[in-house]
Amino acid sequence: MATEAETADEADAYAELTERLERVTAIQGAGGVLGWDQQVMMPRGGTPARSKQLSVLSSMGHDVLTDDRTGELLDQCEELDLDEDRAAVVREARREYERGTAVPRDLVEELSRTSSEALSAWEEAKANDDFEAFAPHLETQVELKREYAEHIDPDRDAYAVLFEDYEPCLPLERAEEILTELKETLVPMIDEIRASDADVTTDAFSGTFDTDAQEELSRDVLSTLGYDWDRGRLDVSTHPFTSGNQFDCRVTTRFDESDPLGALMATVHEFGHAYYNLGLPREHYGTPLGESRDLSVHESQSRLWENHVGRSAPFWELVMPTVREHFPDVDASVEEAYQSANQVYEDNLIRVEADELTYHLHIVIRFEIEKALIAGELDVADVPEVWNEKYEEYLGIRPETDAEGCLQDIHWSHGNFGYFPTYSLGSVMATQLFDAAEDDIDDLDGEIRDGEFGDLQDWLRENIHRHGAKYETNELVKRATGEDFTADYFTDYVTSKYGELYDLEESV
Amino acid sequence: MATEAETADEADAYAELTERLERVTAIQGAGGVLGWDQQVMMPRGGTPARSKQLSVLSSMGHDVLTDDRTGELLDQCEELDLDEDRAAVVREARREYERGTAVPRDLVEELSRTSSEALSAWEEAKANDDFEAFAPHLETQVELKREYAEHIDPDRDAYAVLFEDYEPCLPLERAEEILTELKETLVPMIDEIRASDADVTTDAFSGTFDTDAQEELSRDVLSTLGYDWDRGRLDVSTHPFTSGNQFDCRVTTRFDESDPLGALMATVHEFGHAYYNLGLPREHYGTPLGESRDLSVHESQSRLWENHVGRSAPFWELVMPTVREHFPDVDASVEEAYQSANQVYEDNLIRVEADELTYHLHIVIRFEIEKALIAGELDVADVPEVWNEKYEEYLGIRPETDAEGCLQDIHWSHGNFGYFPTYSLGSVMATQLFDAAEDDIDDLDGEIRDGEFGDLQDWLRENIHRHGAKYETNELVKRATGEDFTADYFTDYVTSKYGELYDLEESV
């Protein structure tokens, strides 16, 4: 007797698959709203019910995705002669399905439980500067994630498999080449900057800055950049983040009375993430054609706005009058503000406080350590020592405590090995994309200075956002820029910009 | 071969049933958060994605509840010798399951779709005072709801079946007796009030009241009443509502510059709803033992705080200093404020603006009309005329437009026939409960005057909240008060309170 699957006709199989994907998206989207609420609105007593709600949603989304019926539909769709769009949907769904079905539910649940315990342990260990208390939890995450990778593909390097959870369509080798290039460019450049006697203004924004006024400034800047308030919100959370889809994508930021620059740059960064999601095709909501490409592409959008717009000289010409409106006591010139926003923090140990240059060395250190941990070439117990040595070697500084060293980031407590590289890849990609946009737009600097962001927005919509996840990462970059993904533009950009700022010899 | 169901042992069946109920609660709770967000936080562009998310959650919750496995587990559990708590869980789950499985999915979806269309049509019809434009939609809702009731029980009165969606464990006959008693008490009393020449202050709060200060006042009053801010929030929405569970239960209110009393009473009302949910046993979250009883009991909690605390003389003694802190221009005395908060709006046509007395005649009119509509004794086309006649007969006023007549409420566009009576039943129940609390607490008036709400809170926790849905409605009331649910206390209460306020002859 023919099964339902065998008798279904072609159009039906594809329609049923997309209906199923839309359901998964809706469940995940509901989880996203609950997550946003938890971080932004929820009273603290709400945790027990919220944890249960999130865990039920997560397992239901997993069930719909990894159901046998999904597999049957994928098999059928792969036999069809689909157009490019539909073939991309099937390709992306297949990848998700394979990853979802490869890992036994027991292991998924064990990872969820242990990472939750590890998170608490990490918070305490960080507060007490006590790496030893965290070490067994980190050990467990390393072991479980090795096991996880083995389930997905026992024949490949485990770290390469893990990396694909965050960046599934860019080979780890390419990522590694780029990170190596960053290291080779930046280590000597930061040495030179440390030795430079250029007079760079660092304190254009010193003093106390009322947080209400900072929020007003953030709102004004979001409006200037083109944030659609009918589809977004700005709120405050401990760590800035973006959450949502093409209909409703919200940003958060955080305000510190002593650091208005940090808040403003965080806002612009999150704007970039949100502007990407808001530019995804509405008619494809629920399928990969209406979803963003993975983490490095997403980070390219936030970094493009943060670094190439928000840290540019024309942006500071544009924004300083608004800054002075909200903070009449600021008497820095545009040039001084620009320099302050671009100063290199040579002595900074903390990744999230880093500048455009040192940032990548923070990432390279994490990348090298986590890769060695997963490969079994580094023991958890040796992480602090290796961490500190690498900081000394690459950045010329050495943490005095593990709290400001290897305990500073949350990622490893979640078992998120392979996540960090996407931060650097995104910044590098942003430079390549922005360079192409500059080529295509007559006077982009002038437009930024005038607060005219239409051409840049159109360029991003046309070349990145409207494609959703249709193209894989390199293909997307190549279509947008005419070239494979490369670090060349980043090297040129930092050499030129920071050469000029710090009077370095290689300055072009 | 024995099926899984047959071999499962008793404890397993009950555990699996509650696990399933907890999952349903989590899904519904997630939907609740999304609903709250939609009304309070969501940018307006978010509707398409949110509608999809809500509809997927709703159908998933329905699927888990009405799955064949739920039926098997219920059958097994009903064979067991369960203790009272567990038997109550099974009883409640059985009721939900039967209702969920009785109605075909097609009809549920048709109701969802047509009520959404009817909602838009109602909004437009109300704005244009055009009942004819709404009539066909109302007709559809009446027909589909008759069909719906027929699926649930073809042998019973359709309206009685519909009423059970909102109040499943109180017979309609009892509800009707109570509504009839309200009508018989209130129609002549309001006539007398209209004829009364008592000098009741109505304008203690006239003028313009800054909405920020109103919000501060609402927050202060919530704190005074004992709202747990670690498990709650106050926000603003078009229509005040309460949303949440024992870990996180949030209230909303609305502010109108010309009506500070309306906002304050709405806040106190929602506090009552929230205080109920927050008092449900935490260890039973997810099963009926951790869920509130149905709508009339819920409304009894909001009305108890709104009417018996918030509109009482001792409350106004307590709260006037705080009112004057926020609004130094208010020069009304405590007695004048009390009178203003209790004035009878004899000429008011709008249910949501009604006082403690006329309110119930608004409800009785809706009840009589919707009952006749479902019974086929009244045509939709005749609703406006019948509505207006009943207003004239019961309240002595006649709407000049349908917008301020039969189009004023949203409920019928949702097909919510049988909902209105729970509002009155709740108020009546509140009076009976408050009377019992007064008997049990030495000097409740004095405690309210002193802002000491501990004894009243304990009484409600002990007699109502901690039981969740363990007892059916009448049983719950009887255990709390020693008597069956009755309107006697309400009659005595209004006769005494309004007799005194308006110098009526029956005044005791």
Side-chain angles (χ1 to χ4, degrees), chain A residues 23 26-27 33-34 36-37 41-46 49-50 53 57 60 230 232-233 245 247-248 250 285, chain B residues 26-27 33-34 36-37 41-46 49-50 53 56-57 60 230 232-233 245 247-248 250 285:
Chain A
R23 223 167 344 134
I27 297 166
V33 176
L34 264 60
W36 176 87
D37 181 86
M41 296 293 163
M42 190 183 83
R44 61 193 181 137
R50 185 55 48 88
Q53 290 157 355
L57 288 188
M60 283 197 319
D230 283 345
R233 297 177 49 92
N245 51 53
F247 298 100
D248 171 4
R250 309 170 184 188
Y285 173 68
Chain B
I27 298 167
V33 177
L34 264 60
W36 176 86
D37 181 85
M41 295 293 163
M42 192 183 82
R44 62 191 179 137
R50 184 56 48 87
Q53 290 157 356
V56 167
L57 288 188
M60 283 196 320
D230 283 344
R233 296 177 51 91
N245 52 53
F247 298 100
D248 171 4
R250 310 171 183 188
Y285 173 66

Side-chain angles (χ1 to χ4, degrees), chain B residues 278-290:
Chain B
L278 289 170
L280 295 166
R282 298 186 202 185
E283 66 276 21
H284 291 302
Y285 173 66
T287 82
L289 297 176

Side-chain angles (χ1 to χ4, degrees), chain A residues 314-332:
Chain A
F315 176 80
W316 284 98
E317 281 196 61
L318 167 68
V319 88
M320 276 306 277
T322 313
V323 170
R324 290 195 196 99
E325 256 174 49
H326 293 287
F327 298 106
D329 294 346
V330 167
D331 61 2

Side-chain angles (χ1 to χ4, degrees), chain B residues 176-212:
Chain B
E176 191 154 9
E177 284 165 12
I178 288 174
L179 291 170
T180 305
E181 197 171 332
L182 293 184
K183 183 163 80 168
E184 287 168 358
T185 305
L186 294 172
V187 169
M189 187 181 292
I190 291 160
D191 271 346
E192 282 188 74
I193 286 171
R194 185 172 282 109
S196 156
D197 50 14
D199 184 21
V200 175
T201 303
T202 58
D203 59 354
F205 303 100
S206 61
T208 301
F209 296 80
D210 176 68
T211 57
D212 287 344

Side-chain angles (χ1 to χ4, degrees), chain B residues 337-370:
Chain B
Y338 166 78
Q339 290 186 8
S340 283
N342 286 284
Q343 64 189 290
V344 175
Y345 298 98
E346 310 139 17
D347 299 322
N348 166 51
L349 290 161
I350 307 300
R351 176 183 63 86
V352 298
E353 297 170 6
D355 53 82
E356 269 188 292
L357 302 188
T358 57
Y359 189 84
H360 301 290
L361 298 180
H362 292 275
I363 296 299
V364 164
I365 290 167
R366 285 153 180 76
F367 166 71
E368 291 176 350
I369 290 176
E370 66 184 15

